[in-house]
Amino acid sequence: MEIECVDDVGLDDVEVDDTKTADNFVEGLKTLTPIVGQYFETIEEARNYYECYGRENGFWIRTRGSAKGRNRSNEVTKVYFVCAKEGKYVERKKQEGAVEGNDEGNDEGNVEGKVMPKKRRERSCSTAKCGCKAHMSILHDKWSGKWKVTDFDEKHNHPLVTPCKRTKMPSNRKMPKAVKDLTEVFHSEKIEITKVPSIFGGEIIGFDSRDCYNHLRNVRHKKLDRGDAQSVLDYFKNKQAENPQFFYALQCDEDGRAVNFFWVDARSRMAYEYFGDVVTFDTTYRTNKYEMPFAPFTGVNHHYQSIQFGCALLQDETEVSFVWLFKTWLAAMGGRPPNCILTDQDLGMKGAIAQVFPNTRHRLCLWHIKKKFVEKLSQVYYKRSKFKKDMKKCIKGTYKKEDFEDRWMSMMKEYDLESNQWLQGLFDIRESWAPVYNRATFFAGMNTTGRSEGINAFFDGYVSHSSNLQEFVLGYEKALKRIVKRENDEDYETEHKSRIVKDHEFLLMDAAKVYTRNIFNKFKDEWSKVFHYKVENVGNTNGFQSFVVMKKDDELEKFEVTLDSQTYEGKCECQYFEFVGILCVHMLKVLFIKDIDQIPEHFILPRWRQKANKFRKIDSQGLVHDDGKDESEALRLSHMCQQGTKLACLAAPSNECYTIFMEGINALFEKIEKVRNLPPIQVCDESRVGNDKSTEPSASQVLLLDPHISQTKGRKKDVKEKATTTQSKRLKSGMEMSLNKNKRTCRVCFKVGHDKRTCPSNPMSKANKATALQEDGEGSNGDVEEEELEGSHCDEEEEEGSY
């Protein structure tokens, strides 16, 4: 007698998908015991039914196998479901055919130069298999087209799982769709994933942190179905479709593999029009999966904060790559080069800047120069001498080129360093790093690339060493939003909070009306020193008055100030205004004694004014449209989020309400998609890039291949050239590298520089073991040589903004 599946069993409710949890099988449902002769519509329906039965009775199942019919249709006609504890445990090494024991002298393991697979290490000492015979088999009935239960055995040879522990069974480990979505949100906001199960009651529902990590892995793999580089290209295309002023470019090699990436948003391009006079550039940041150097273009806004003018991911740090990047960046910025740029001592970077920015003042990072003193001159740097103080006075305490050169020469004679080739080479390029040669150029008070490295540290909260290209680009976008938020917060502080100024300080009151809050504080710091100085009137020549300003307690420190009696134009010998853009204490002292109550207009730089970032001027290309769209969109988004949250809170307690809510959301989503008019996706024009290799594959062409792992400067390969990259060590200070520390002595050979674990004389050392394994065709476990990378210098002596 054939027994069909009755409707009140609730097979449709029993079926498991992403929107249903284990609670569906517990709340009021009772799955009947399968019966021989019972029919199912599909194989999946039969499996779900048997899995639901096992879930209620304390065991989980798996598909043991299937069989095909004798006809030529090659279709499955029989399926065999068993208890997950069916079968017996078989050692993995025997399954893979690996040779047991010591393989020395065994030539059978290496056939025609092919290395046999390594003997895998057993990870566990327990197994779930115990030879259980419980099973259910189904057979396809060709007359009815359904699947019939032909054999069923419900007897188990093991204890079943008790109800209080059934959430730990693999069949009960199900993550609801809502939890999956929120897990992705938490991951994007850098919230610890280990906290997700405790927030949503994972132990009750049946999932833990490992399930959350597995879901994120699946999502990541799904996003990267077309490849990492191709997904980034698609993302750039979508961003440009949303805003045509989003600029991106990429470079490929002959094989179609991505080499270099560059992108910049519309706001950064507009900010460059106002704050692009000085730029810092650094490539020491390599926090991504491919070890590609991160190359941000960093500037200073009117709040003295670091802002971005675009960034790039490079395959290498050669002059060719830098030339491509600088040309691309110049094209994105409308062909306007910066007035000055700060970088480190990279020859490839120097050559590219000279080629692309011939009229730009290129200056080297002073911190990188000073850092090498402790390495190159340790014999005098740490002795009980005043060399360090003299060098500091020579670099920072000289305001005339002649004084700097005289002090330098006298130091070389005094400390017997005239024959030092490194110092001689440094002196030859003094104009590129010594402050006295650059005080007449506006650098916003910067002597180092500390802002770029501060940005690097700022990005640590958004990316990691395992981030792929897509994750890195998304992390960069989030970090950029935070930078914009910080600027908006400072705008609010400047516009809606008044500075505290005394009534009789008229110059300070005028500065409070003109400058932003941070620039006013710098101006106030200079003003606070005014009463520590005194002035002597030297004379009057051709309408220019000359003054000598000196400290009251140190008359040796004196500066000459020249001021026009009519227009109040002038300059100070310290050149602080030319370098920083703010009046120095010497000029302020002269203005004070001449009873000038307002700052002369020519002493106020437009970039330091309040509202200097209000980009209300629309150029011919309409780079930024100030139509209030962002504000209205933000209000609508906030209101919709509030209403959606209220509705979700009402629907969450009930299963039925949850189903209604999700059905309504899906229907609403379809309606909005029909109404919304999406612009066509535009591709970056090749003419913008300025390089023949900067091409982009269309949908019909081969997908863009992922880049190779970069081998950048300062990194060594594995000793056997098998490893493509190494992890970075901690950056040691000059003192650590220059001083001779007491090194550990080996207990085997009593030599210095290693221990018994790496001693060449020890047959059980790592090196000897690695050599033996290599001879046996099983690879090398030798230590990987690593070289230290340059870190960020946050302890900057000069006053600079950092994150």
Side-chain angles (χ1 to χ4, degrees):
M1 178 180 180
E2 296 181 354
I3 302 176
E4 295 189 2
C5 181
V6 294
D7 295 337
D8 57 357
V9 177
L11 285 178
D12 293 338
D13 296 331
V14 174
E15 184 176 353
V16 181
D17 56 16
D18 290 340
T19 62
K20 298 180 181 180
T21 66
D23 295 337
N24 298 97
F25 306 106
V26 179
E27 296 179 359
L29 289 177
K30 182 64 177 177
T31 305
L32 299 178
T33 304
I35 304 174
V36 176
Q38 185 174 349
Y39 281 91
F40 297 97
E41 294 292 336
T42 61
I43 299 177
E44 190 65 24
E45 182 180 330
R47 178 185 171 82
N48 290 339
Y49 190 92
Y50 190 47
E51 185 178 32
C52 179
Y53 170 76
R55 187 182 294 111
E56 292 181 359
N57 289 272
F59 69 96
W60 63 101
I61 70 167
R62 59 186 172 87
T63 303
R64 179 66 177 85
S66 60
K68 299 179 181 179
R70 296 181 180 180
N71 54 6
R72 298 181 180 179
S73 61
N74 202 28
E75 296 179 353
V76 176
T77 58
K78 186 175 183 180
V79 182
Y80 195 66
F81 304 109
V82 297
C83 172
K85 295 191 176 184
E86 182 267 347
K88 294 184 179 181
Y89 171 73
V90 179
E91 292 185 8
R92 189 182 297 271
K93 59 185 180 182
K94 291 183 179 180
Q95 292 177 346
E96 296 182 356
V99 182
E100 230 180 319
N102 192 356
D103 294 340
E104 293 185 6
N106 191 351
D107 296 334
E108 297 179 358
N110 192 341
V111 182
E112 296 182 359
K114 296 182 181 180
V115 180
M116 295 294 292
K118 294 182 181 179
K119 182 167 56 177
R120 295 190 61 173
R121 186 177 180 182
E122 294 299 329
R123 297 182 179 180
S124 177
C125 59
S126 60
T127 179
K129 296 182 178 180
C130 61
C132 180
K133 300 297 184 181
H135 66 276
M136 183 184 80
S137 61
I138 57 176
L139 182 66
H140 185 259
D141 188 0
K142 61 181 180 179
W143 303 108
S144 62
K146 298 182 180 181
W147 293 84
K148 179 181 179 182
V149 178
T150 58
D151 191 12
F152 173 72
D153 188 352
E154 61 178 344
K155 295 181 180 179
H156 299 267
N157 64 348
H158 56 85
L160 300 178
V161 181
T162 57
C164 62
K165 297 180 181 179
R166 286 176 185 174
T167 55
K168 300 181 181 297
M169 294 192 309
S171 58
N172 274 335
R173 298 180 71 86
K174 302 292 182 182
M175 286 183 65
K177 189 177 187 304
V179 175
K180 292 181 179 180
D181 296 340
L182 290 174
T183 301
E184 297 175 22
V185 175
F186 289 165
H187 178 65
S188 63
E189 297 298 331
K190 303 302 177 182
I191 299 177
E192 293 185 20
I193 303 303
T194 54
K195 297 180 180 179
V196 174
S198 60
I199 294 175
F200 297 103
E203 295 182 357
I204 300 175
I205 298 177
F207 71 93
D208 55 13
S209 58
R210 176 49 54 192
D211 297 313
C212 297
Y213 283 114
N214 291 342
H215 172 67
L216 294 175
R217 177 202 60 199
N218 296 336
V219 171
R220 183 166 58 252
H221 290 173
K222 185 177 180 180
K223 290 181 179 179
L224 300 179
D225 282 344
R226 303 183 66 192
D228 198 2
Q230 182 65 34
S231 63
V232 171
L233 177 59
D234 295 340
Y235 172 80
F236 287 161
K237 290 180 180 179
N238 293 331
K239 292 294 291 184
Q240 194 177 67
E242 296 173 3
N243 189 342
Q245 298 307 322
F246 179 89
F247 185 97
Y248 72 95
L250 56 91
Q251 192 177 32
C252 306
D253 58 12
E254 295 78 4
D255 300 329
R257 190 175 296 276
V259 178
N260 299 319
F261 297 84
F262 170 77
W263 70 99
V264 56
D265 66 320
R267 182 182 176 87
S268 298
R269 295 177 70 186
M270 195 61 191
Y272 180 80
E273 295 292 328
Y274 296 87
F275 308 119
D277 44 7
V278 56
V279 175
T280 65
F281 183 74
D282 181 80
T283 59
T284 59
Y285 195 59
R286 298 175 179 87
T287 304
N288 56 79
K289 178 181 177 181
Y290 302 95
E291 296 292 337
M292 300 179 72
F294 175 54
F297 293 89
T298 308
V300 185
N301 66 0
H302 59 310
H303 295 297
Y304 211 70
Q305 296 174 328
S306 297
I307 56 175
Q308 288 294 289
F309 300 138
C311 68
L313 288 172
L314 304 177
Q315 185 68 40
D316 51 44
E317 295 173 283
T318 60
E319 183 175 344
V320 176
S321 296
F322 286 131
V323 168
W324 173 87
L325 174 60
F326 293 152
K327 286 184 177 180
T328 304
W329 182 68
L330 191 63
M333 299 305 167
R336 174 195 160 195
N339 297 336
C340 53
I341 186 171
L342 285 94
T343 66
D344 57 9
Q345 283 183 286
D346 188 281
L347 295 179
M349 201 180 297
K350 179 181 178 181
I353 291 175
Q355 180 178 344
V356 183
F357 308 132
N359 299 322
T360 299
R361 176 68 173 174
H362 180 208
R363 188 180 176 193
L364 301 179
C365 175
L366 183 59
W367 184 88
H368 286 89
I369 299 292
K370 294 167 61 178
K371 183 189 71 170
K372 294 183 180 179
F373 278 96
V374 295
E375 304 172 19
K376 305 289 186 178
L377 305 173
S378 58
Q379 68 275 15
V380 295
Y381 209 80
Y382 293 108
K383 285 186 176 180
R384 293 184 178 180
S385 65
K386 56 187 181 68
F387 173 79
K388 188 175 181 179
K389 288 185 177 180
D390 291 345
M391 181 59 71
K392 184 176 182 179
K393 290 181 180 180
C394 179
I395 295 176
K396 297 183 62 178
T398 53
Y399 297 89
K400 294 182 179 180
K401 300 176 182 178
E402 298 80 10
D403 294 343
F404 172 81
E405 295 173 1
D406 293 342
R407 283 195 181 186
W408 183 278
M409 294 302 178
S410 62
M411 285 179 55
M412 299 301 103
K413 293 179 181 179
E414 181 180 355
Y415 296 99
D416 194 19
L417 296 172
E418 294 176 310
S419 60
N420 191 293
Q421 295 182 357
W422 180 77
L423 285 175
Q424 184 59 42
L426 194 62
F427 183 75
D428 294 338
I429 60 171
R430 59 190 179 277
E431 294 183 358
S432 63
W433 63 271
V436 67
Y437 294 92
N438 298 278
R439 295 188 191 276
T441 306
F442 178 75
F443 276 92
M446 293 188 295
N447 286 311
T448 70
T449 58
R451 284 189 179 272
S452 294
E453 300 193 14
I455 286 289
N456 295 344
F458 180 76
F459 280 103
D460 283 337
Y462 298 90
V463 295
S464 64
H465 68 279
S466 60
S467 299
N468 55 43
L469 294 178
Q470 188 183 42
E471 291 173 343
F472 190 94
V473 172
L474 294 176
Y476 174 83
E477 183 181 4
K478 291 181 180 179
L480 203 62
K481 290 181 180 178
R482 185 181 172 190
I483 292 175
V484 174
K485 180 182 180 300
R486 290 165 61 92
E487 183 176 319
N488 293 335
D489 293 343
E490 197 59 41
D491 284 338
Y492 175 82
E493 294 287 334
T494 298
E495 295 177 13
H496 301 286
K497 290 187 178 181
S498 303
R499 295 336 134 232
I500 301 175
V501 183
K502 296 180 181 179
D503 295 336
H504 64 278
E505 296 176 332
F506 298 105
L507 275 174
L508 209 57
M509 292 172 62
D510 186 55
K513 298 176 183 178
V514 174
Y515 292 128
T516 60
R517 188 171 68 104
N518 291 337
I519 300 302
F520 169 77
N521 290 334
K522 291 182 175 296
F523 184 91
K524 188 176 181 180
D525 292 340
E526 292 296 313
W527 173 261
S528 63
K529 306 173 188 175
V530 166
F531 303 101
H532 296 240
Y533 285 80
K534 60 182 179 179
V535 181
E536 292 182 0
N537 194 345
V538 177
N540 192 335
T541 306
N542 297 328
F544 284 90
Q545 289 181 296
S546 297
F547 305 88
V548 174
V549 183
M550 64 188 74
K551 270 191 174 183
K552 294 181 179 180
D553 56 350
D554 185 9
E555 296 186 358
L556 295 177
E557 182 182 337
K558 56 179 65 175
F559 297 91
E560 183 178 352
V561 178
T562 305
L563 190 68
D564 192 326
S565 303
Q566 301 297 326
T567 62
Y568 299 119
E569 294 183 3
K571 63 179 180 179
C572 178
E573 190 179 14
C574 71
Q575 296 179 321
Y576 185 81
F577 174 76
E578 290 79 1
F579 185 70
V580 182
I582 304 173
L583 284 176
C584 62
V585 61
H586 316 112
M587 183 64 73
L588 289 175
K589 183 65 177 181
V590 173
L591 296 178
F592 176 72
I593 65 171
K594 292 185 69 65
D595 293 331
I596 299 175
D597 297 336
Q598 290 185 344
I599 304 174
E601 193 67 21
H602 52 268
F603 284 135
I604 301 176
L605 295 186
R607 69 172 348 270
W608 297 140
R609 288 180 177 271
Q610 298 180 17
K611 299 183 180 181
N613 65 336
K614 299 301 181 183
F615 310 135
R616 301 186 184 276
K617 296 181 180 179
I618 303 177
D619 59 3
S620 59
Q621 297 179 353
L623 191 58
V624 173
H625 303 280
D626 191 7
D627 55 0
K629 177 183 177 182
D630 294 337
E631 289 78 7
S632 60
E633 182 178 350
L635 290 175
R636 291 195 297 268
L637 178 62
S638 176
H639 186 249
M640 288 187 293
C641 289
Q642 292 177 1
Q643 296 300 321
T645 303
K646 290 181 182 179
L647 188 60
C649 292
L650 292 175
S654 172
N655 236 353
E656 184 178 357
C657 293
Y658 169 76
T659 304
I660 296 174
F661 179 86
M662 294 306 300
E663 290 177 354
I665 287 292
N666 294 333
L668 188 62
F669 183 81
E670 294 177 358
K671 291 181 180 180
I672 293 177
E673 280 294 321
K674 293 179 180 179
V675 175
R676 185 180 178 187
N677 185 17
L678 295 177
I681 296 178
Q682 300 179 6
V683 184
C684 180
D685 189 3
E686 294 179 12
S687 62
R688 296 184 184 179
V689 180
N691 193 303
D692 295 337
K693 293 184 180 181
S694 302
T695 58
E696 297 172 3
S698 61
S700 60
Q701 293 176 337
V702 180
L703 295 178
L704 185 65
L705 301 179
D706 295 342
H708 292 291
I709 297 179
S710 299
Q711 287 292 329
T712 52
K713 297 176 182 179
R715 293 168 182 266
K716 293 183 179 180
K717 294 184 178 180
D718 196 315
V719 290
K720 298 300 179 183
E721 298 185 357
K722 290 185 178 181
T724 55
T725 186
T726 57
Q727 296 180 350
S728 59
K729 294 182 180 178
R730 177 182 65 87
L731 177 65
K732 296 182 180 180
S733 64
M735 181 176 292
E736 289 182 274
M737 292 184 288
S738 59
L739 294 179
N740 292 324
K741 292 187 176 182
N742 295 328
K743 297 182 179 180
R744 181 180 297 179
T745 304
C746 177
R747 291 192 228 172
V748 178
C749 63
F750 301 100
K751 293 182 180 180
V752 180
H754 61 270
D755 55 17
K756 67 176 183 179
R757 294 174 298 177
T758 58
C759 179
S761 303
N762 185 8
M764 300 302 294
S765 66
K766 293 181 179 179
N768 292 331
K769 284 183 178 181
T771 304
L773 288 174
Q774 183 184 2
E775 293 176 356
D776 294 339
E778 293 203 17
S780 174
N781 293 326
D783 295 335
V784 178
E785 296 183 3
E786 299 179 347
E787 187 164 317
E788 299 165 306
L789 301 176
E790 288 185 345
S792 62
H793 46 276
C794 299
D795 55 342
E796 182 56 48
E797 296 181 5
E798 283 73 13
E799 185 178 3
E800 298 184 11
S802 61
Y803 287 91

